Amino acid sequence: MTLRAFPFILLVATIGLWSAVGATARAEESNPAALGAAMKNATATLQGGLRSSEAQGTPISAKFEIEDGKLQLSIYTMKGNDFMEVVADPNTGAVAKAEKITDAGDLKEAAEQKAAMAKAKVPLLTATETAVKANAGSRAVSIFPELKNGQATAEVTLLQGTTFKKVTEKLD
């Protein structure tokens, strides 16, 4: 192998590694069956996670997710100009860790969520409770605020049995 080929091979190997890591992350997010199965044993609620995260700032989104093969409850919060990811135990709802968000993609999502929450008059906890009450027998899996035509709304994903359903709640 020539020295000229080495950087190219290294580049191809790096791209392959990052593609595999990205594919794994996307597979976890896009595997509702695995998430639904993991949720069967979780006793914590999204609402409880939102409440417990308030010590770290104002909640701006929350979701149950499979991370590294384990179920966790992840809540993004904001305090001033800082964004935190609060990870709560899916069984107790207690905060397991809180870290400042530094990843560029996560910071972009948090900034978009902050913009939506700046126009919101309804907190995410209230919107989540409203969605769950309107869909008897369901539990909230995630809530993400967004701006639609300048109006603050939240997309709430609900789980009933093995069926996922998305509903929109007004935040203003």
Side-chain angles (χ1 to χ4, degrees):
M1 169 170 49
T2 67
L3 285 177
R4 287 185 177 174
F6 183 74
F8 177 73
I9 292 170
L10 184 61
L11 175 66
V12 170
T14 302
I15 291 170
L17 174 65
W18 283 110
S19 295
V21 169
T24 300
R26 285 188 299 275
E28 288 179 344
E29 290 177 1
S30 65
N31 189 343
L35 182 59
M39 292 287 298
K40 284 182 182 179
N41 298 322
T43 54
T45 64
L46 196 74
Q47 299 91 309
L50 287 165
R51 278 187 208 96
S52 67
S53 72
E54 289 174 345
Q56 301 298 323
T58 303
I60 58 173
S61 67
K63 67 179 175 179
F64 280 97
E65 65 182 341
I66 298 175
E67 183 76 27
D68 297 326
K70 291 188 204 170
L71 182 67
Q72 72 177 22
L73 176 51
S74 172
I75 305 103
Y76 280 11
T77 65
M78 65 178 179
K79 190 182 283 187
N81 290 325
D82 290 332
F83 298 110
M84 300 287 290
E85 179 181 17
V86 178
V87 177
D89 182 292
N91 295 314
T92 65
V95 173
K97 69 178 178 176
E99 298 176 339
K100 188 171 181 175
I101 297 173
T102 57
D103 177 79
D106 292 343
L107 283 171
K108 181 180 180 220
E109 286 179 23
E112 290 170 359
Q113 293 165 3
K114 179 181 179 180
M117 292 307 295
K119 292 197 170 215
K121 294 180 180 82
V122 175
L124 292 184
L125 178 58
T126 303
T128 303
E129 289 172 338
T130 301
V132 170
K133 284 178 187 171
N135 294 275
S138 294
R139 70 183 293 183
V141 175
S142 67
I143 184 165
F144 293 99
E146 58 189 352
L147 288 175
K148 287 185 179 176
N149 301 322
Q151 184 178 24
T153 62
E155 181 178 88
V156 183
T157 302
L158 302 168
L159 175 64
Q160 185 172 22
T162 58
T163 305
F164 288 91
K165 175 182 178 180
K166 291 183 187 244
V167 298
T168 301
E169 292 293 327
K170 290 184 180 182
L171 296 178
D172 56 358

